[in-house]
Amino acid sequence: MTETPRDIEHLIDLMARLPGLGPRSARRAVLLLLKKRGSVMEPLARAMAQVAQSARECTICGNIGAGEICAICADPARETGEICVVEDVADLWAMERGGAFKGRYHVLGGTLSPLDAVGPDELRIPELLTRVQQEGQREVILALNATVDGQTTAHYIAEALEPSGVEVSSLARGVPVGGELDYLDDGTIGAALRARRKL
Amino acid sequence: MRNPLGKTTAGRDSAGMEWRDEGLLIALRPHGEASAIVEIFTLGHGRHAGVVRGGGSRKMAATLQPGTQLAVVWRARLDDHLGAFTVEPLQSRAGLMEDRLALLGLGAVCAMLRLALPERAPAPGLWQPTLGLLAAMEAGAADWPLAYLRWELLLLEETGFGLDLSRCAVTGARDDLAYVSPRSGRAVSRAGAGDWAPRLLPLPVAMLGQGPADRAEVMQGLAITGHFLDRGWQPVLNGRSLPEARTRLVAALARQAGTAEGALG
């Protein structure tokens, strides 16, 4: 077997660290990049270098943007008096894809997890409390995952916000669009039944 | 081979080890991209860890939540291997997610079981009371904090640090027990305490199984169990305090005790 040049091996090693890729799939990806050097590899390398230099965490909400303040926080049209609290940037992007929310966000950077020694100070919870107080927000929407850790965090934040008098709500839980009852777990069915609405 | 609980187990042969049991998921951490290492409190095999292949997937997320009751099959080539679990949900605890206090209770139960139980040592005496406690939390029973207190007493007993609240350590009397010795864990009557009373822990009657308990009494009881858990489990805690999840539950109950009065049971 011929030896792969050291630089290429290094690139394969780095690619193999990406989610969804292992050593074999990283090798395939690198081969494809080498084959499409002009159309994929070079633009990709340039884009990565640019993003590595410009991307930074928004000092207000924790989103990833191109400057000190992200585009959402800088947009006056999004000053609706509502803050949507999400666990991480991927959740913020998911909310933005839906396009249903027109307010601003706050990214916590995780959830409370006593087992992993993640407490309120390890997350951006103190910043959220300060923000709500200083910005005079009307409503805080807790869009956290429907997991034990996610909901423990939601309850913690709701309690911490109680003295501020701001309205605190959370996302509904129940049957997803396209979901079939037969395939749902009993916890989801129970939650959906408790949150039923009059038609 | 059959274990004492009558569940089938495979012996050490070419096919490896295998057993089936019922369990409660108490902890989970990601393992690689798609799998998870879980810790399950099982009826017949105690606290047992294992890999769940595909446990990191979205499909499994609802099943692999702390507190979920599972039917499990554990397989490994040798008994001392980590092994792999195949799990099927029996009962979800999703109903607890809407109740802040109950969610804290669930967290405390899982954290305490994880800390208290040695790995692979059956603790069948804890199984039914734990399920009963979680069911009470899920049903929104007003007296579940008292049930939690009694569960901690049982946990102390199961781990070898049980309190003796049957009679006074000084006089031998069975009546008017009002204190617990912080050293011996034995009850002391009012008459037996004498001038030593300020140095003893006040014993709420609810811990004697007598009558209802208000929130303040539950808090008193949790202070007692906390003292003995902290002391007895020091070799495991290694200088650290009791799990953060328990601290949060106790703090939340204390806040409630400060704002609300009422019988709990």
Side-chain angles (χ1 to χ4, degrees):
Chain A
M1 193 177 144
T2 54
E3 198 181 319
T4 320
R6 188 173 292 178
D7 288 348
I8 296 178
E9 273 305 333
H10 183 54
L11 180 59
I12 293 168
D13 284 348
L14 290 174
M15 294 278 280
R17 293 185 202 172
L18 298 178
L21 291 185
R24 287 169 74 95
S25 43
R27 195 170 286 272
R28 280 203 300 276
V30 168
L31 274 175
L32 182 130
L33 288 173
L34 288 169
K35 276 183 197 163
K36 302 196 170 185
R37 195 175 300 212
S39 61
V40 180
M41 192 180 200
E42 284 168 6
L44 178 68
R46 277 197 298 275
M48 285 175 86
Q50 198 173 337
V51 170
Q53 200 171 29
S54 65
R56 59 184 69 174
E57 201 176 80
C58 173
T59 52
I60 298 174
C61 71
N63 184 17
I64 292 172
E68 285 278 305
I69 296 170
C70 71
I72 296 172
C73 289
D75 184 357
R78 303 204 63 150
E79 202 179 319
T80 58
E82 292 168 336
I83 290 186
C84 180
V85 179
V86 290
E87 189 179 321
D88 58 36
V89 176
D91 297 334
L92 187 156
W93 290 352
M95 292 288 290
E96 281 296 283
R97 274 201 307 273
F101 180 66
K102 304 293 180 200
R104 286 179 175 157
Y105 293 92
H106 190 88
V107 181
L108 291 178
T111 50
L112 295 175
S113 176
L115 289 180
D116 302 321
V118 181
D121 294 336
E122 275 73 45
L123 305 175
R124 293 170 46 86
I125 293 177
E127 287 91 333
L128 173 68
L129 304 181
T130 312
R131 227 182 128 185
V132 167
Q133 208 166 28
Q134 285 177 351
E135 295 177 10
Q137 299 291 342
R138 201 166 30 83
E139 185 178 355
V140 173
I141 302 162
L142 300 171
L144 298 173
N145 294 336
T147 58
V148 168
D149 284 347
Q151 292 310 298
T152 303
T153 311
H155 287 302
Y156 177 87
I157 294 173
E159 197 185 354
L161 285 170
E162 228 172 65
S164 70
V166 70
E167 193 181 328
V168 181
S169 57
S170 71
L171 294 186
R173 278 196 292 279
V175 185
V177 174
E180 293 173 44
L181 290 184
D182 194 21
Y183 288 92
L184 291 183
D185 62 284
D186 27 329
T188 306
I189 291 176
L193 198 62
R194 283 191 292 277
R196 66 188 181 276
R197 285 195 310 192
K198 199 172 177 181
L199 288 175
Chain B
M1 206 191 298
R2 283 194 158 261
N3 71 16
L5 289 156
K7 307 283 170 180
T8 54
T9 57
R12 185 183 285 200
D13 54 27
S14 58
M17 308 296 301
E18 178 178 323
W19 50 255
R20 288 163 192 275
D21 206 340
E22 197 177 324
L24 202 67
L25 186 89
I26 56 174
L28 165 116
R29 62 180 188 274
H31 178 64
E33 269 181 44
S35 300
I37 293 179
V38 296
E39 282 181 49
I40 297 177
F41 168 42
T42 59
L43 170 60
H45 300 83
R47 179 169 69 91
H48 210 293
V51 175
V52 177
R53 301 199 200 290
S57 69
R58 272 181 282 177
K59 197 178 142 198
M60 292 290 286
T63 301
L64 295 183
Q65 288 298 311
T68 307
Q69 211 170 316
L70 303 160
V72 300
V73 181
W74 181 82
R75 290 187 188 91
R77 197 166 64 78
L78 295 173
D79 190 39
D80 52 2
H81 284 182
L82 176 63
F85 276 119
T86 328
V87 300
E88 250 186 70
L90 292 176
Q91 194 180 343
S92 156
R93 305 279 174 207
L96 290 173
M97 287 193 193
E98 284 149 42
D99 182 341
R100 188 181 64 85
L101 202 60
L103 203 53
L104 288 173
L106 171 66
V109 167
C110 291
M112 297 295 271
L113 285 173
R114 191 171 182 235
L115 181 71
L117 300 181
E119 258 196 280
R120 303 188 178 197
L126 268 175
W127 176 254
Q128 213 51 54
T130 305
L131 292 192
L133 173 60
L134 293 182
M137 287 176 183
E138 201 161 13
D143 65 346
W144 76 253
L146 177 60
Y148 177 82
L149 169 63
R150 290 186 175 144
W151 179 81
E152 277 200 351
L153 276 173
L154 184 66
L155 199 58
L156 271 168
E157 205 169 303
E158 287 282 329
T159 50
F161 303 101
L163 308 185
D164 179 6
L165 305 179
S166 60
R167 63 174 67 207
C168 174
V170 182
T171 63
R174 291 183 182 273
D175 299 326
D176 202 27
L177 300 174
Y179 303 100
V180 178
S181 160
R183 286 198 178 176
S184 67
R186 297 179 66 189
V188 181
S189 67
R190 230 175 286 273
D195 292 344
W196 290 86
R199 297 190 184 190
L200 302 175
L201 300 167
L203 173 66
V205 287
M207 281 181 81
L208 300 168
Q210 297 166 7
D214 62 23
R215 280 156 209 254
E217 277 191 273
V218 172
M219 294 312 299
Q220 269 183 348
L222 288 174
I224 293 175
T225 51
H227 170 82
F228 289 102
L229 287 166
D230 194 41
R231 206 181 65 160
W233 292 1
Q234 261 317 309
V236 187
L237 289 167
N238 211 5
R240 289 169 295 148
S241 48
L242 288 171
E244 176 70 21
R246 182 190 187 271
T247 312
R248 282 197 199 142
L249 171 66
V250 173
L253 287 170
R255 276 196 298 277
Q256 268 204 348
T259 54
E261 290 293 325
L264 282 176

